[in-house]
Each structure stands twice: as structure tokens, then as C-alpha cells.
Amino acid sequence: MSAPNDLAVLIERWFTDRLMRHRGVSSSTIASYRDTFRLLFAFAQTRLGRSPSQLTLRDLDAPFIGAFLEDLETLRSASVRTRNLRLTAIRSFFRYASFEEPAHSAQIQRVLAIPSKRCDKRQLQFLTRPEIEAILACPDRSTWLGRRDYTLLLLAAQTGLRVSEIIDLDRDSVMLGHGAHVRCLGKGRKERSTPLTKVAQQALRGWLNEPRKRGATALFPNTHGGKLSADGVQALLNKYVAKAREHCVTLRSKRVSPHVLRHSAAMELLQAGVDCSVIALWLGHEAMETTLTYLHAHLELKESALAKLKPYERAKAERFRPNDRLLEFLNALEHENYAECQRRVLGRNGGQSASYRHDRTRRSA
């Protein structure tokens, strides 16, 4: 039998040995998995009345995990995607536990069998060029914060970098001059380089000449010299979007996030005729299927495809011809009783049904 604290030992070994040492997952993955089990243990403490260090693997059975996922959606108002993300972390741990604790294999298999929940796939939100320009016109570039925010938003809209990639950039990530580009470390620990437009080069050149805040090495530091957080980027974007909505009416019906700026960069490339495979490399997508979702949101592309189709010709009106009598009889069975149908058919055939005439002809032969 396993020791009473088998769960605490398994959790520690899973993080340190499997995820960090053997798989070398990114810090973002570690943080996501950590938050999942923080929520799970808080739920267990409320539901079972025991502290996390007192829990055993047997406590985390399939009904308990299902109740936890239900609690995320109902009480914490988490989206279906967030629910599935938490389930992904739980599955990763239980796959590890299946090798370490084979005595619990039946319980573990039931947990691994919990399916991901289906959700509606909404159409991608993106901004048009006038909407992006309206947002970029809002920061007050006479101040340090305004110049930082303008450069950050311009870089996000032009390169399509993820918000996590932007806040992790340092000053050495920007290469100006011939072949200007910015280097980042994206999902899957893949490093990629994204070229810069002349406008972005000019803004970054001016920003890099700004005096550093407390010797900050981050490209876009906060006022204390440290890295911006994802919530901080969302907050500054919300501030400028609220200002831009005063004179840009189309922004009032859109919810703008840093990821929407990434979608906008992809749509700009698509509208310029750039191939989807190039866009996938530009954005750092793992699979082409992710990039193809932009085709569904590109209405002008669909309209151009519709214009190439030959329009349908108007159908020629034909004179009505009644059906065969037997088919007419069968069709009438849906609306009339059998006696009425028989009377109508016998009346047309001179008092004899088709089956009667057939039998009579066969007997005479």
C-alpha cells in the first residue's frame, strides 16, 4: 500500500523530476499547472475538510475531479476553454501517476477518461487599419509612459507577437539597421525572428534612446524597472481603447485584447496576399490548421470567391403533368382513408382495380 502522503510526494516529483528535469517545459506551463492544482487543493479543502498535505491519491477519484470541473464553471464562472485547460494539467499528472502508482490504475484510468467539453467556436475578432490607427493616436507621446505604450502597441499590431512574448522581450532582442527584426522565444520554446516595418523601426530606435528606468533590461519595463505583467498590458490597452471609442464608432462593438492585435496582424498579412504557410511561420503556429482559421474570418476573401462562381440561371417553367395513377394512389394514402382512395381508383378503372385485372389476366393465361 502507498504511504498516506503519496499524493504530496507524487506532486513534487511530477513538477521537479518529470516536468522540469526530463521534459524541460517552459515557465508558463509550470505556472499554469501550478495554478490548476492550487485551485484543486483549495476545492478539496472546502469539500473534504482536509489540508492538501493530508490528501491521498485515492481522494482524487473521477467523481471528485468532475465536481471540481463543475465548480470551476458554476461558482468561479470559468469558460469552457479554461475548464479544458485545467483538465489538461490534471491528465498530465495522472498519466505520470499511472506509471508510479500501478495499484491505482483503475481509478487513474477513470480520471483519464473524463472527456474535454465541447464549446462554441466563435469567429475571430480583429481590427481594421483605421481602428488600429485610432488606438495608436491615443497615447500621449510627450510623456515616458505614452511613448512606451505607443511603441508597445505598434509592435504588437505589426508583428503579431503574443502578449507573453512581448513582456519577455529585452533590449537586446531588437536588431535595427539592415534586415531589422525582433527575436522572441515563443510557444514550445521555439525562437523566431519577425521583421520590422520602417515605422516600427523608427519608433523602436527612439524608444531605445530613452533613459532606462533603474537600469531595466526589459524592452518595455514598468515604472519600477521590472517586467510588465499580462494584466498590465491589458489595462493599458483598455485605457486607450476607451479613448479611441469616442471618435471611432466601430470600436464600440468590439472587445479588444492583446490577442486581438495578434489576429489583426495576421489579417493584414492575409489581405496583402501572403500565403498561409508564411503567416504560420510569422506567428509561430505549431500547425497549419491554426492559421487556416483566419480564412474563415476573411469575408472579403469569401466574397471574391463568390464573384468567380457562375450565377444560377432561372429555371424554365414547365407544364404540370400528373403522376402515374398508381403513384397518385400511393401519395393519396397519406391524406385520405383507404376506402376513399379505393373508390377513386376503382372509379377511374371502370370498377376494377389494377390488382384485380392482373389476377384475372394471369388466371386466363
Side-chain angles (χ1 to χ4, degrees):
M1 296 294 291
S2 300
N5 63 343
D6 61 345
L7 182 61
V9 174
L10 277 176
I11 289 289
E12 292 178 7
R13 289 209 308 253
W14 176 57
F15 272 105
T16 59
D17 192 52
R18 172 60 66 88
L19 296 180
M20 296 180 181
R21 185 181 307 167
H22 290 163
R23 294 190 58 191
V25 300
S26 65
S27 58
S28 300
T29 302
I30 294 294
S32 177
Y33 287 6
R34 175 204 63 199
D35 294 341
T36 296
F37 279 89
R38 278 179 177 175
L39 293 171
L40 180 63
F41 292 149
F43 176 76
Q45 195 163 8
T46 304
R47 184 81 172 245
L48 304 177
R50 277 183 281 172
S51 62
S53 58
Q54 295 174 334
L55 294 173
T56 63
L57 187 61
R58 194 178 299 277
D59 294 325
L60 305 184
D61 55 6
F64 178 81
I65 298 299
F68 166 67
L69 298 174
E70 186 69 22
D71 180 79
L72 287 177
E73 291 189 76
T74 54
L75 297 183
R76 300 186 64 87
S77 300
S79 65
V80 176
R81 288 181 174 83
T82 302
R83 181 247 191 212
N84 292 338
L85 181 66
R86 303 305 182 196
L87 180 58
T88 300
I90 294 171
R91 283 175 177 166
S92 178
F93 167 70
F94 273 90
R95 279 193 293 268
Y96 172 74
S98 64
F99 296 102
E100 298 294 323
E101 296 290 340
H104 296 82
S105 59
Q107 171 196 345
I108 292 171
Q109 290 304 315
R110 284 192 288 270
V111 173
L112 292 176
I114 298 176
S116 298
K117 195 170 184 178
R118 295 291 186 103
C119 60
D120 296 333
K121 294 183 179 179
R122 294 174 294 180
Q123 187 169 301
L124 292 177
Q125 288 283 338
F126 64 95
L127 303 180
T128 61
R129 178 66 68 87
E131 292 169 344
I132 296 174
E133 291 175 349
I135 296 174
L136 292 177
C138 292
D140 182 10
R141 282 183 269 176
S142 64
T143 64
W144 182 88
L145 279 177
R147 291 190 293 272
R148 182 203 66 180
D149 297 345
Y150 168 78
T151 310
L152 187 152
L153 295 176
L154 176 63
L155 184 69
Q158 189 257 295
T159 60
L161 295 180
R162 300 178 179 91
V163 62
S164 59
E165 296 167 349
I166 291 177
I167 60 181
D168 285 340
L169 292 175
D170 54 31
R171 298 173 69 90
D172 295 333
S173 302
V174 181
M175 301 295 172
L176 299 176
H178 182 69
H181 63 276
V182 58
R183 292 198 314 268
C184 71
L185 191 65
K187 266 188 175 181
R189 307 176 69 89
K190 294 183 299 183
E191 185 175 319
R192 73 179 190 275
S193 299
T194 306
L196 298 169
T197 62
K198 292 182 179 180
V199 177
Q201 292 179 47
Q202 183 179 359
L204 284 169
R205 187 174 289 109
W207 173 246
L208 290 174
N209 290 331
E210 293 276 345
R212 301 190 188 186
K213 287 284 185 179
R214 300 183 181 181
T217 59
L219 181 60
F220 300 112
N222 55 30
T223 54
H224 303 289
K227 287 185 178 181
L228 281 171
S229 65
D231 292 336
V233 175
Q234 180 68 67
L236 69 88
L237 178 59
N238 290 340
K239 178 176 67 174
Y240 297 123
V241 169
K243 291 182 180 179
R245 283 173 178 158
E246 298 176 0
H247 55 273
C248 186
V249 182
T250 56
L251 277 174
R252 298 174 185 175
S253 60
K254 294 185 177 181
R255 182 180 178 276
V256 185
S257 66
H259 214 69
V260 171
L261 297 180
R262 176 175 167 83
H263 294 329
S264 305
M267 294 302 291
E268 287 271 336
L269 294 171
L270 190 61
Q271 291 169 359
V274 180
D275 188 76
C276 285
S277 58
V278 178
I279 298 177
L281 293 173
W282 184 291
L283 299 178
H285 284 163
E286 184 71 24
M288 273 290 298
E289 287 76 11
T290 308
T291 314
L292 294 178
T293 56
Y294 294 108
L295 294 174
H296 296 284
H298 198 321
L299 185 58
E300 294 180 2
L301 191 64
K302 297 177 182 178
E303 291 175 347
S304 62
L306 181 62
K308 296 178 181 179
L309 295 177
K310 183 179 180 181
Y312 290 106
E313 297 180 358
R314 182 179 297 178
K316 297 180 180 179
E318 297 183 358
R319 185 177 179 180
F320 172 76
R321 292 184 176 85
N323 292 330
D324 181 83
R325 287 185 177 182
L326 180 57
L327 293 178
E328 186 180 355
F329 166 75
L330 295 175
N331 294 335
L333 285 176
E334 301 177 1
H335 310 288
E336 305 178 20
N337 56 46
Y338 176 73
E340 179 65 21
C341 292
Q342 189 179 35
R343 184 188 61 79
R344 289 175 54 187
V345 174
L346 288 176
R348 291 195 187 102
N349 295 334
Q352 294 179 351
S353 66
S355 59
Y356 174 79
R357 294 198 314 274
H358 177 70
D359 292 341
R360 184 175 178 181
T361 304
R362 186 175 59 180
R363 287 197 300 269
S364 62

